[in-house]
Amino acid sequence: MSSDLMASIRFSENDLRARVARFTDLAGTDGGAPDTVLAGCARVMFNVIGFRPPERNGADDDQVISPIGAKSSGNAPIDIAEGFNLAYIKATPGNGTILHNHDTNETFIPLSGTWRFRCNDEDDLYVDLGPFDVISLPAGLQRRFTNLAAAPGAEESLMIVIVAGDRPKSVIYPEVLQAARTEGAYTPATFA
């Protein structure tokens, strides 16, 4: 085999085990995103791969958060920075996110239930997806998702989210921050 195709690496048993995350061992949180205190936005996020806190750079820093929130960002069991991040999101019907955008691609794969994905600020363009369907949304596109229905006999639905980048950013709009302040759940340090 030609050595100029790609360098090979070898793993020890510890190296291999550091790349394993068992779902039953994951610690979910509300993520710490400002919208999680608002009606219709309750969800649990499970950081699995990556999702380091984004770099901050200016006056609008309180609008820039990790796509999975400050509480979930930085606690991945597979703590790597290799150009993508992976998390699970769990929500009961009627819950999801507010309208927001990202600086990188975001891809969703529902594992259970029915989820609605909306885009644009008019909120009038949407698609409903079920288990194992995939939607991939580009950087800059305003988007939101909502769990429409759980599977029969279930109370909540589960979805995989994959976000490109090593420190992806999500932009939260000022009106969402103000609504979180009104609910008494927002202070400048809350979502840092």
Side-chain angles (χ1 to χ4, degrees):
M1 182 175 211
S2 175
S3 62
D4 59 331
L5 291 178
M6 181 185 323
S8 293
I9 64 170
R10 294 188 54 79
F11 263 16
S12 68
E13 183 175 343
N14 286 341
D15 293 332
L16 181 61
R17 299 213 182 281
R19 296 287 182 127
V20 173
R22 300 200 185 274
F23 185 77
T24 55
D25 295 338
L26 295 176
T29 72
D30 69 2
D35 68 329
T36 58
V37 300
L38 303 177
C41 294
R43 59 195 181 278
V44 177
M45 290 168 262
F46 301 87
N47 189 355
V48 181
I49 299 175
F51 280 116
R52 288 173 167 75
E55 294 179 4
R56 299 176 172 275
N57 60 0
D60 294 329
D61 277 353
D62 60 343
Q63 289 181 249
V64 176
I65 66 166
S66 167
I68 60 168
K71 288 182 188 175
S72 295
S73 185
N75 67 354
I78 302 175
D79 188 21
I80 61 173
E82 296 179 356
F84 77 101
N85 304 269
L86 184 140
Y88 292 105
I89 295 175
K90 190 187 296 185
T92 56
N95 284 286
T97 62
I98 46 78
L99 194 66
H100 66 284
N101 68 23
H102 293 274
D103 66 339
T104 64
N105 175 284
E106 183 175 35
T107 299
F108 297 96
I109 307 167
L111 298 177
S112 62
T114 303
W115 297 79
R116 176 164 288 170
F117 297 86
R118 295 180 175 134
C119 61
N120 300 334
D121 58 354
E122 299 86 22
D123 213 24
D124 61 348
L125 181 61
Y126 65 88
V127 63
D128 296 341
L129 300 179
F132 311 109
D133 293 336
V134 177
I135 188 169
S136 184
L137 304 172
L141 179 70
Q142 294 177 337
R143 81 281 310 263
R144 66 183 293 179
F145 60 82
T146 305
N147 179 318
L148 294 180
E155 294 181 16
E156 54 197 8
S157 300
L158 186 66
M159 172 169 60
I160 294 173
V161 60
I162 302 166
V163 179
D166 288 330
R167 292 182 179 275
K169 297 176 183 175
S170 180
V171 175
I172 304 298
Y173 298 107
E175 57 271 19
V176 173
L177 293 176
Q178 184 55 46
R181 286 183 188 103
T182 301
E183 291 291 325
Y186 177 80
T187 63
T190 307
F191 307 107

